[in-house]
Amino acid sequence: MEYTLERSRRKTVSVIVRDGKVTVRAPLRTPLAFIENFLRKKSDWIADKLAVGRRAAAALGDVLDGRYAMYRGRKFPVCRTDGGRTQVRQGTLYIPDGTPEQVSARRKNFYRREAKVYLGARLEQIARAMGVTYTAFALTNAKSLWGSCTADGTIRLHTRLIMLDDALIDYVIVHELCHRRALNHSAEFWALVGNVIPDWKARRAALKDYSVLLRSPY
């Protein structure tokens, strides 16, 4: 197995699989034999993560390279225009032309604008239906989480969540709102999620195939 080894003043060995690459983080003096044995024990988990990455690359390659855009679970070809507003119109995402930096910024601003409106409204609707309250809603661009809920009741949802279909959006929102009653991932917590979304396991599994979008430059 090919992997990158990063040593530092840490106390434990861990492995990260991201973008088709395996990275091991280990204490400075951890023997190589120990690390190799650790990887053998984790081999099935690593293989599963790599397979997820390959599926994502195959299914989302045209999104990751910028030719297409994802919005509410659908793919749209990207077309640059002479001016106007960044928007989805007649099955295409139109973006005003400019430098690569400007075009990238306009695309990100489109997602943020749409996410703020749709995710905010959907969060409010689902919270009301569940009888759950929260103190604030904010967008995030975290590299590994679709959402989070703080102890004081702030719900953060990733801007890129607007790229996914409504079933997965709702799953993430329900997940975070259930943390208002159980700020952990105990059996009680998953029972709360299941009361609202009976097929939460299938949705959680499907969500993993889109994790690559969290780190996409587009």
Side-chain angles (χ1 to χ4, degrees):
M1 179 189 303
E2 292 187 4
Y3 63 91
T4 299
L5 177 59
E6 297 178 354
R7 293 184 181 272
S8 63
R9 296 182 182 278
R10 56 184 293 129
K11 295 182 178 180
T12 60
V13 177
S14 66
V15 58
I16 297 173
V17 180
R18 183 171 295 169
D19 301 331
K21 299 178 181 178
V22 179
T23 301
V24 179
R25 294 174 178 172
L28 295 172
R29 297 184 179 180
T30 302
L32 192 58
F34 181 93
I35 293 172
E36 295 285 351
N37 186 54
F38 175 83
L39 288 173
R40 280 193 291 272
K41 292 179 179 179
K42 286 279 191 178
S43 61
D44 289 345
W45 178 85
I46 293 171
D48 180 64
K49 290 291 186 180
L50 289 172
V52 169
R54 287 192 293 270
R55 290 199 302 271
L60 302 171
D62 50 6
V63 175
L64 298 176
D65 66 18
R67 289 179 293 138
Y68 278 72
M70 287 276 291
Y71 177 70
R72 300 278 298 279
R74 293 178 58 196
K75 283 185 181 181
F76 298 93
V78 175
C79 178
R80 298 190 184 187
T81 64
D82 291 333
R85 188 171 186 252
T86 303
Q87 60 182 313
V88 171
R89 189 174 72 251
Q90 297 178 339
T92 298
L93 175 64
Y94 291 93
I95 304 178
D97 204 358
T99 66
E101 293 76 15
Q102 289 172 328
V103 172
S104 177
R106 288 163 185 161
R107 185 168 178 152
K108 291 175 181 177
N109 287 339
F110 165 77
Y111 282 131
R112 175 167 287 276
R113 183 183 76 223
E114 295 297 316
K116 183 177 181 180
V117 174
Y118 180 79
L119 299 183
R122 193 65 183 137
L123 174 64
E124 184 178 348
Q125 292 167 357
I126 294 176
R128 188 183 308 116
M130 290 174 60
V132 175
T133 61
Y134 57 95
T135 58
F137 160 60
L139 294 174
T140 178
N141 286 305
K143 297 296 184 181
S144 60
L145 295 173
W146 287 108
S148 65
C149 175
T150 63
D152 67 2
T154 297
I155 303 289
R156 290 185 173 86
L157 299 175
H158 202 288
T159 304
R160 301 294 178 86
L161 191 59
I162 196 66
M163 300 171 80
L164 308 186
D165 66 48
D166 292 352
L168 296 184
I169 291 174
D170 285 358
Y171 164 72
V172 173
I173 290 175
V174 169
H175 182 117
E176 302 311 330
L177 286 172
C178 284
H179 278 313
R180 293 292 288 140
R181 292 177 175 166
L183 201 58
N184 51 46
H185 288 105
S186 62
E188 175 193 6
F189 168 81
W190 290 115
L192 291 170
V193 175
N195 286 337
V196 184
I197 300 179
D199 67 338
W200 66 267
K201 289 184 179 180
R203 297 195 199 188
R204 183 178 65 170
L207 191 63
K208 293 179 181 179
D209 287 340
Y210 295 98
S211 61
V212 67
L213 294 177
L214 293 170
R215 300 178 296 278
S216 168
Y218 296 103

